[in-house]
Amino acid sequence: MRVTAIAALPHFLSLSAAEIGDALYETYQQLWSQLGVQLDSDRPPARNLLLMRQWLLIVPISRESHLPINVNALGFADCTRKARGSNPLSSIF
């Protein structure tokens, strides 16, 4: 069973706020579907949800990292600060 899911996001510059919201929610649902989770309840399983301009990632909270990404909230903030100007997931896509 998969425990981590990632998806590339489209460019949002030409979309309205409602279209962006719809696209993010659709991607969110697709990621949970990849993990085999039906979102029938108000509360999905415990996971870190990491959203960047180019991608959305769901990782179990019990993991410190996945591939080159530190998913600790404070570590993640620092990682994104250091990665500006580069795509930390370029080796994945």
Side-chain angles (χ1 to χ4, degrees):
M1 179 179 180
R2 288 182 70 168
V3 294
T4 303
I6 188 168
L9 295 174
H11 295 286
F12 292 127
L13 293 177
S14 63
L15 301 178
S16 70
E19 291 170 324
I20 292 170
D22 290 343
L24 286 173
Y25 186 65
E26 181 179 329
T27 303
Y28 174 79
Q29 290 179 312
Q30 289 172 356
L31 290 177
W32 283 113
S33 179
Q34 288 177 25
L35 297 173
V37 174
Q38 296 297 323
L39 295 177
D40 297 334
S41 68
D42 293 335
R43 232 180 171 163
R47 297 285 193 277
N48 286 310
L49 178 66
L50 307 176
L51 173 64
M52 296 295 289
R53 290 180 186 162
Q54 298 166 332
W55 47 268
L56 181 63
L57 174 69
I58 295 177
V59 180
I61 289 175
S62 61
R63 290 190 180 192
E64 181 178 338
S65 64
H66 177 71
L67 300 174
I69 305 167
N70 182 335
V71 294
N72 174 287
L74 295 175
F76 181 71
D78 188 51
C79 171
T80 59
R81 181 186 59 79
K82 291 177 184 175
R84 293 212 174 142
S86 67
N87 181 354
L89 295 182
S90 61
S91 62
I92 299 172
F93 290 114

